[in-house]
Amino acid sequence: MIVDVQRVGPSTGMPTRTQQGDILECAYASHGDTRHILLFPANPAECFEFAAKAFDLAEGFQTPVFLMSDLDIGMNDWVTPKLTWDDSYRPDRGRVLSGEDLETIPKFLRYTPENGSA
């Protein structure tokens, strides 16, 4: 999971102006045959909520997930509701194999829906 707080640039650029210039770079940050998951929070409260979701998505899809913010959210003062954490939340890590499980399978393969391994 990668957090990208975008700003205008290069160098000092225009530090009081926002820009979303990294969106295409993050969406297609590969050979061009792969797309990545990008999350776009609209305020600091969503940044907080989306952070945990980004880890679950990265585990589930086995790909980098980018949390895309910008200078306005990243540096300016915002009035937000009180941030609360749900203590009952459990990360969705999919099927997790124990050491004993690994010893019983003939070959470990990265999880794919086709082979059903994890």
Side-chain angles (χ1 to χ4, degrees), residues 17 25 29 42 47 75 80 85-86 117:
R17 182 174 166 220
E25 180 70 29
C47 288
M75 294 183 66
T80 62
W85 179 253
D86 179 5
S117 65

Side-chain angles (χ1 to χ4, degrees), residues 22-38 66:
D22 295 344
I23 292 173
L24 285 176
E25 180 70 29
C26 292
Y28 299 99
S30 68
H31 304 289
D33 58 350
T34 306
R35 294 183 184 103
H36 301 289
I37 300 170
L38 279 60
F66 294 87

Side-chain angles (χ1 to χ4, degrees), residues 21-71:
D22 295 344
I23 292 173
L24 285 176
E25 180 70 29
C26 292
Y28 299 99
S30 68
H31 304 289
D33 58 350
T34 306
R35 294 183 184 103
H36 301 289
I37 300 170
L38 279 60
L39 301 177
F40 299 98
N43 55 56
E46 284 188 355
C47 288
F48 178 77
E49 295 167 12
F50 287 8
K53 183 65 176 171
F55 281 104
D56 288 343
L57 290 168
E59 288 279 348
F61 288 98
Q62 294 288 292
T63 191
V65 173
F66 294 87
L67 182 63
M68 307 291 293
S69 184
D70 65 15
L71 183 74

Side-chain angles (χ1 to χ4, degrees), residues 99-118:
E100 294 81 27
D101 294 331
L102 290 173
E103 290 176 9
T104 63
I105 59 175
K107 181 179 178 184
F108 176 79
L109 299 172
R110 180 177 173 177
Y111 174 80
T112 65
E114 293 80 27
N115 68 24
S117 65

